[in-house]
Amino acid sequence: VTAQVAQRIGQSIDAANAGRDAAVRDARRSEQTFLSYMEHGPFTAFIRDSNGRYIYVNPLFARMYNSTNEGIRHKTSREIGFPEDLAAEVMADDQRVLSTGVSSARTVEMQHFDGCQRQWFAVKFPLIDASGATVIGGVALDLSARVQAEKAKEEAQNQLVKAYKLAALGEMAGNIAHEINNPLAIIDGKAKQLCEILAAPTLDTKTAIKFGETISAMALRLVKIVNGLRNVSRASNNDPFTPKAVAALIEETVALCAPKLKVMDIELKTNEIAPDLALTCRPAELSQVLLNLISNAADAIENQEDRWISVDVSASATSVRIRIVDSGPGIPKEIRGKICEPFFTTKPVDKGTGLGLSISTQLVAAHGGTLALDELSPHTCFVVHLPRHVSHGEKAS
Ligand SMILES: Nc1ncnc2c1ncn2[C@@H]1O[C@H](COP(=O)(O)OP(=O)(O)OP(=O)(O)O)[C@@H](O)[C@H]1O
Ligand SMILES: [Mg+2]
């Protein structure tokens, strides 16, 4: 009997040992899996106690601070290199998560030991550790690559706008040289005649005044052309928003495209604009928008019998509406949805880049306004609708 009992006891001990071994193996496996997960996951992860001291950090987290899990354990954020103010913020945020039990998510920007500035999307949450204490768990994803890609995209877009402006400027330059020469020749001629009148024994005051007025008018025309040129030739995305008379804006812009329209034998009509009607805007950008729209209109009617473009301004107490209408055949329904997409063009490669409307839409949006095709108009009509005063938030965009 004793031998039997001893055998049974021996068997149960073996079974118990085998069970324990299996449990230990299982525990080890899941620990290995957890550590592998922490090592290979493309995120930083940590656990901190309620005093802000690290209990665990994963390898990527440790690398960001040029350390190891062991090197970071028991230290606080400040002790491992967080800037003072960020460390204090982290501590306060930890306390909030611990006391409310609500997780927090935010983007954090910080410089690491390698000098790299990185943006993180960080999530923190309360969890219970093995001893039953409530601690803070957190993971963060490195958004730097995405932020950088967005910056690069913005930069590329700025470059495109610049290139587009240069191309437009090149096209205009030839016609404008001619347009500048004309008034200059008139100024030169009238000034000479004026000298002759002044040198004559009897002064013909009336004619002298007339010549003086012509010279002044020609000089003003030159000022408009030069102002318009200045608008298209430089980067304007950092220009301040300033009040600008709408009449002057339209005149300067029209002065720029007048030579091209003259060559194409296109009539440009503008309506009477109240001289005190003003817009808070980046004049160079709005001028660019109008030039794009007028240039599109001119292209559309190039081969039409009846060739006119009208720029019509109307205003309410809070907004200004500029309608650019042309005598062209209109825009086919099936492409209307696409015309504002970058690079959409129906023009030959050497003529259109397909950027005009997309850039214009962005510029108008930066003014808190809209650019749209008026589908109800009997003629092709683009409407630029702008608030007269842009609110601060919109200016920043
Ligand atoms: N007034 C218009 N009449 C008819 N079609 C137009 C008019 N304005 C724009 N479109 C159509 O919209 C397309 C896109 O215009 P957008 O100004 O963006 O580019 P684009 O004029 O083709 O090229 P870019 O402006 O770069 O020289 C044009 O190719 C044309 O098909
Ligand atoms: Mg265009």
Side-chain angles (χ1 to χ4, degrees), residues 135-273:
V135 295
I136 296 271
V139 285
L141 282 171
D142 188 351
L143 298 181
S144 312
R146 197 201 288 179
V147 170
Q148 231 147 43
E150 265 162 25
K151 267 195 202 142
K153 193 172 145 205
E154 204 175 293
E155 182 54 30
Q157 219 152 36
N158 283 344
Q159 290 297 336
L160 268 183
V161 174
K162 231 190 257 172
Y164 180 83
K165 279 185 169 189
L166 275 181
L169 196 63
E171 194 200 314
M172 260 178 238
N175 291 327
I176 282 171
H178 174 76
E179 194 70 359
I180 287 178
N181 264 341
N182 259 353
L184 278 181
I186 296 173
I187 287 175
D188 184 42
K190 294 292 167 196
K192 279 180 184 139
Q193 283 176 291
L194 194 56
C195 289
E196 278 165 24
I197 290 173
L198 292 174
T202 50
L203 184 60
D204 179 356
T205 322
K206 230 166 127 191
T207 314
I209 291 175
K210 213 175 79 202
F211 286 175
E213 282 170 354
T214 308
I215 290 174
S216 170
M218 288 299 119
L220 273 183
R221 203 158 120 198
L222 287 176
V223 168
K224 267 179 217 156
I225 294 172
V226 170
N227 274 350
L229 263 184
R230 207 187 281 148
N231 283 349
V232 273
S233 62
R234 30 170 217 96
S236 49
N237 51 344
N238 288 325
D239 280 7
F241 276 67
T242 49
K244 172 87 184 173
V246 179
L249 180 76
I250 303 280
E251 255 179 72
E252 284 165 16
T253 308
V254 166
L256 272 185
C257 51
K260 172 178 167 171
L261 300 182
K262 204 154 77 186
V263 172
M264 295 172 85
D265 193 20
I266 293 170
E267 183 195 359
L268 184 96
K269 308 185 247 193
T270 52
N271 69 331
E272 195 75 35
I273 305 168

Side-chain angles (χ1 to χ4, degrees), residues 4 16 52 61 134 141 173 243 252 273 295 317 338 372 381:
Q4 270 179 352
F61 187 111
T134 304
L141 282 171
E252 284 165 16
I273 305 168
S295 166
K338 288 187 253 174
C381 170

Side-chain angles (χ1 to χ4, degrees), residues 164 291-293 295-297 299 345 347 352-357:
Y164 180 83
L291 275 177
N292 286 345
L293 294 174
S295 166
N296 278 351
D299 289 342
T345 182
K347 296 171 192 173
T353 62
L355 284 173
L357 285 176

